[in-house]
Amino acid sequence: MSIKKILITQPKPESGKSPYYDIASRYGAVATFRAFIEVESVTTREFRNQRINILDHTAIVFTSRKAMEHFFGLSEELRVSIPDDMKYFCINDHVANYLQKFVVYRKRKVFFPEQGGQAELVNLMSKHNKETFFLPMAEDHKNDLIEQLTAKKLLFSHAVMYRTISAEFSVAEKKEKYDMMIFFSPAGVTSLLHNHPDFKQGKLQIAAFGPATCSAVEQAGLRLDLAAPTPTATSMAMALDTYLEQQNK
């Protein structure tokens, strides 16, 4: 089957550039971006019901830019004024630098591991074990970070501050036909079925990145045509390039 229309279930890149555009063009196809999921803050009532007081803590832990956005957004809704001496522990320098959007950046109160990563973040926090940490988390968070902090006997609290929801498609979007869809999270697969309750795959080819996403495709009773990463294709773009090359032989 010739693949001419490819849907990448992610937001359209702000720069207007993407390897997917280049790959699609190389094989005479068109790549379209459309986010299948959205992230929203919990309500102020939902947060208060968790009985967490942000100002009882001396440090905030950020594992992503999304966590940071929803922490400061919800704090504003709650009318919680974050003190100037609050410390921030970030999973990497990329996340730490994003803090400049929300607070006056002072190196003496912003900490992140040089190499980045969760284990490195926990080790860094252990060196500041007098702090009381707060972790803003997603509704569908994993417990591995919580378990590591508990094992280190650090003082911390966590609360759900945001969640992933399915994006709502317009009538026109639901009618669009594609030859391939590429998914990057189980939530994307959930969104597909949310917007198309009677979805029939037919000849549509489905690609998925990551074991959890691949598993979600199969558990939904769909056919998985392309899985990544692989030993020879560490990114979905690389896997797609190889796949289209084989299809066009």
Side-chain angles (χ1 to χ4, degrees), residues 185-225:
S185 72
V189 180
T190 300
S191 178
L192 170 68
L193 301 179
H194 169 78
N195 282 282
H196 301 274
D198 301 319
F199 180 76
K200 298 290 189 295
Q201 183 173 357
K203 294 182 179 180
L204 173 72
Q205 301 199 35
I206 291 180
F209 186 80
T213 310
C214 292
S215 178
V217 169
E218 293 173 337
Q219 288 176 10
L222 302 175
R223 185 184 68 253
L224 181 61
D225 299 289

Side-chain angles (χ1 to χ4, degrees), residues 119 122-123 126 129 147-155:
V122 172
N123 288 334
S126 297
N129 56 15
E147 290 168 356
Q148 290 181 54
L149 296 179
T150 301
K152 292 285 188 180
K153 297 182 179 179
L154 295 176
L155 297 173

Side-chain angles (χ1 to χ4, degrees), residues 39-42 47 52-55 57 59-83 86-88 98-99 102-103 133-137 157 159-162:
V39 182
E40 66 174 15
S41 295
V42 301
F47 181 80
I52 294 292
N53 184 359
I54 293 172
L55 299 182
H57 305 82
I60 314 297
V61 182
F62 293 122
T63 56
S64 70
R65 302 202 321 179
K66 282 293 181 189
M68 190 180 295
E69 290 171 355
H70 291 281
F71 169 81
F72 284 107
L74 194 53
S75 294
E76 186 173 343
E77 285 187 53
L78 292 162
R79 297 181 180 178
V80 174
S81 181
I82 308 300
M86 181 68 79
K87 296 183 177 68
Y88 301 96
Y98 198 57
L99 262 173
F102 305 97
V103 300
F133 299 98
F134 173 66
L135 284 68
M137 308 196 82
S157 304
V160 172
M161 299 194 83
Y162 59 105

Side-chain angles (χ1 to χ4, degrees), residues 131-199:
E131 305 293 345
T132 304
F133 299 98
F134 173 66
L135 284 68
M137 308 196 82
E139 189 172 57
D140 58 348
H141 65 269
K142 296 179 180 179
N143 286 324
D144 47 351
L145 178 56
I146 294 171
E147 290 168 356
Q148 290 181 54
L149 296 179
T150 301
K152 292 285 188 180
K153 297 182 179 179
L154 295 176
L155 297 173
F156 74 95
S157 304
H158 66 279
V160 172
M161 299 194 83
Y162 59 105
R163 61 168 63 93
T164 299
I165 60 172
S166 296
E168 295 293 338
F169 294 176
S170 67
V171 173
E173 286 175 321
K174 290 180 180 180
K175 290 181 179 179
E176 284 284 348
K177 301 294 183 183
Y178 296 92
D179 301 314
M180 172 178 269
M181 288 186 183
I182 302 177
F183 293 92
F184 298 86
S185 72
V189 180
T190 300
S191 178
L192 170 68
L193 301 179
H194 169 78
N195 282 282
H196 301 274
D198 301 319
F199 180 76

Side-chain angles (χ1 to χ4, degrees), residues 83-141:
D84 291 337
D85 61 353
M86 181 68 79
K87 296 183 177 68
Y88 301 96
F89 287 75
C90 303
I91 197 164
N92 55 39
D93 60 343
H94 180 65
V95 174
N97 288 334
Y98 198 57
L99 262 173
Q100 297 176 76
K101 184 176 178 180
F102 305 97
V103 300
V104 176
Y105 194 100
R106 297 190 183 93
K107 289 185 177 180
R108 69 175 182 273
K109 68 175 184 179
V110 180
F111 306 86
F112 57 89
E114 288 187 14
Q115 299 300 319
Q118 186 169 283
E120 291 78 9
L121 174 62
V122 172
N123 288 334
L124 176 61
M125 292 168 64
S126 297
K127 296 175 182 177
H128 298 264
N129 56 15
K130 302 299 183 186
E131 305 293 345
T132 304
F133 299 98
F134 173 66
L135 284 68
M137 308 196 82
E139 189 172 57
D140 58 348
H141 65 269

